[in-house]
Amino acid sequence: MADETVGIVGAGIVGLATAREIALSRPGTRVVVLEKEQEVSLHQTGHNSGVVHAGIYYTPGSLKADLTVRGVSLLREYCRDRELPYKEIGKLVVAVREDELGRMNDLYEQARNNHVPDLRRISKEEIREFEPHGAGVAALHSPRTAITDYPAIARSFAKDVVDSGGEVRLGYPVTGITTVPGGIAVASGQERVRVDRLILCAGLQSDTVAKLARDEREPRIVPFRGEYMLLKPERTGLVRGLIYPVPDPRYPFLGVHFTPRVDGSVEVGPNAVLALAREGYTRTRISPKDLVGLAAYPGTWRMAARHWRTGIREYRGSLSMAAFMKNAGLYVPGVGVSDVVRGGAGVRAQALDRDGTFLDDFRIHRVGRVTAVRNAPSPAATASMSIAEHIVGAVFGDASAS
């Protein structure tokens, strides 16, 4: 359909990448991005650690795996063209115990199947060649893993949309989605925007916004806050590149790790604690409405019954800097409370099914003229440009939504 209007709810990096893809790939299509905040990328994108993941962790053949590999190449090229930060500082995925070697080797085979470039296994002695202050019994080295500035990329995407004739409308919290003859009316209070098609990229609010479009009730979003410490400026030299643990396959979280940032700082974290508000970036931020929603959902209780021991351990680390830094010291011996200060936090929009299962892959639903991105977990920022291609293909019939 020529000269149609596509609305996108959400001005995080996935929503903006999708708007940009439509504006550039489908001439004659008008794009309008609707965002409740007064700035773009304030939530998950704005609290992202900045890592460009290479594709080590994802099940071969999954959307995550396929879209990450392509997304990295697109993002690298985009940053080069726009002169945005993109530094290939490399990553070590470190086994600190012998019983982690099996999982580490499984990761290696998985990463090979995902065509992660230049990945290799290294010995205990070789760890010190890359990280003189590091430790472990063995590791995987991914030299092409990079860091970038995702809020800057999101702002650049927004500029591309506007320069292509689209609109990014800020301060427009969506309160209603209604089918009208030939299209969709998207309300914010008494205001209305009419579009021919609508794409929901609402992140932490993805299930509540999808409900307005009469999409399925599940999955629900359960917010997990990830808190960081910062190495003191005089201690940032302890770390050269990214240092990650071998992840626990039971969880979608990667564990406490060391992350150099493009501004020269080094983060330690994050943990993963259940937030008491969808936008609960501090321990004191509580939303009664969000708490009632969590308590009323059977999946929350089933998740809690399954993982309560891990939850207690994560909360202990949230309350105690010493407990938080204990695990970090396994990877950089000697680093402790005196080397860090409390940093910021992000909130992950973790999708949860009714049976208490964490969703690990991207999930997209279609409801008539509405396409809802129901789950876009890490590495969504890394894969944002390839996710955008996939979404646009699904919306316009060039691919199948899953």
Side-chain angles (χ1 to χ4, degrees):
M1 184 187 300
D3 301 324
E4 66 178 351
T5 298
V6 177
I8 295 175
V9 176
I13 197 167
V14 172
L16 290 167
T18 302
R20 175 183 180 274
E21 179 68 20
I22 294 170
L24 297 179
S25 68
R26 303 193 69 86
T29 301
R30 180 174 177 269
V31 181
V32 55
V33 180
L34 305 171
E35 167 58 46
K36 71 184 179 75
E37 305 292 358
Q38 296 295 334
E39 300 176 38
V40 304
S41 73
L42 277 190
H43 292 292
Q44 290 188 106
T45 304
H47 294 83
N48 192 288
S49 65
V51 177
V52 182
H53 292 281
I56 295 172
Y57 306 105
Y58 318 124
T59 303
S62 65
L63 270 179
K64 266 191 178 184
D66 294 343
L67 295 179
T68 299
V69 172
R70 174 158 175 75
V72 170
S73 63
L74 292 172
L75 195 70
R76 184 192 307 115
E77 182 178 350
Y78 184 84
C79 289
R80 184 181 299 121
D81 289 345
R82 298 300 197 279
E83 297 184 345
L84 293 167
Y86 190 97
K87 301 179 181 179
E88 292 184 345
I89 63 171
K91 173 195 283 188
L92 292 181
V93 180
V94 180
V96 294
R97 302 188 308 272
E98 294 288 339
D99 62 7
E100 294 179 322
L101 291 176
R103 281 190 280 136
M104 189 195 81
N105 289 328
D106 289 344
L107 269 185
Y108 176 75
E109 295 302 329
Q110 180 170 276
R112 287 186 60 193
N113 288 330
N114 289 339
H115 307 290
V116 173
D118 304 324
L119 184 75
R120 67 187 186 96
R121 287 177 282 212
I122 63 173
S123 67
K124 177 178 181 178
E125 292 72 26
E126 289 173 301
I127 290 174
R128 289 298 183 97
E129 294 177 14
F130 294 103
E131 294 291 347
H133 300 280
V137 297
L140 304 180
H141 180 231
S142 172
R144 302 290 293 278
T145 298
I147 55 174
T148 189
D149 183 341
Y150 286 118
I153 292 170
R155 292 191 294 270
S156 184
F157 285 169
K159 183 177 185 300
D160 292 343
V161 171
V162 173
D163 289 348
S164 299
E167 179 184 1
V168 178
R169 186 176 298 192
L170 302 174
Y172 196 95
V174 173
T175 57
I177 298 172
T178 308
T179 301
V180 296
I184 301 288
V186 187
S188 181
Q190 297 303 309
E191 289 188 75
R192 297 288 187 277
V193 173
R194 186 200 174 283
V195 298
D196 297 286
R197 306 175 194 249
L198 185 64
I199 303 171
L200 309 180
C201 298
L204 286 161
Q205 307 295 339
S206 61
D207 55 346
T208 60
V209 175
K211 183 179 179 182
L212 297 176
R214 297 171 179 80
D215 190 19
E216 298 174 15
R217 292 173 60 84
E218 277 83 34
R220 298 282 186 88
I221 293 300
V222 176
F224 280 87
R225 186 175 61 254
E227 301 161 330
Y228 290 90
M229 302 293 174
L230 285 172
L231 285 181
K232 293 178 178 178
E234 64 271 21
R235 301 296 279 169
T236 56
L238 289 172
V239 176
R240 290 181 175 178
L242 297 150
I243 305 175
Y244 277 61
V246 175
D248 186 332
R250 294 175 298 170
Y251 302 104
F253 315 109
L254 295 178
V256 170
H257 46 270
F258 291 81
T259 307
R261 303 295 301 265
V262 294
D263 64 4
S265 63
V266 177
E267 290 180 331
V268 186
N271 56 3
V273 296
L274 188 65
L276 304 182
R278 288 185 185 237
E279 296 167 10
Y281 300 108
T282 64
R283 289 197 295 272
T284 57
R285 175 72 184 275
I286 299 172
S287 165
K289 179 182 176 182
D290 292 344
L291 282 177
V292 168
L294 284 172
Y297 185 49
T300 304
W301 297 101
R302 290 166 181 152
M303 173 198 69
R306 196 175 298 164
H307 302 299
W308 63 271
R309 290 182 179 85
T310 300
I312 290 173
R313 185 170 63 247
E314 293 292 308
Y315 270 107
R316 186 181 300 124
S318 175
L319 297 171
S320 165
M321 290 178 70
F324 189 104
M325 293 302 297
K326 182 178 180 180
N327 280 340
L330 298 175
Y331 301 90
V332 180
V335 70
V337 172
S338 63
D339 301 303
V340 297
V341 295
R342 287 195 179 273
V347 179
R348 177 188 177 115
Q350 178 59 54
L352 189 72
D353 269 332
R354 179 170 285 265
D355 64 359
T357 301
F358 294 118
L359 266 67
D360 188 50
D361 207 357
F362 302 122
R363 183 176 290 187
I364 301 171
H365 291 174
R366 291 282 296 277
V367 184
R369 293 173 178 265
V370 179
T371 301
V373 179
R374 297 298 301 270
N375 193 43
S378 177
T382 296
S384 56
M385 297 180 77
S386 55
I387 293 171
E389 290 179 337
H390 179 81
I391 292 170
V392 172
V395 169
F396 292 97
D398 304 322
S400 298
S402 64

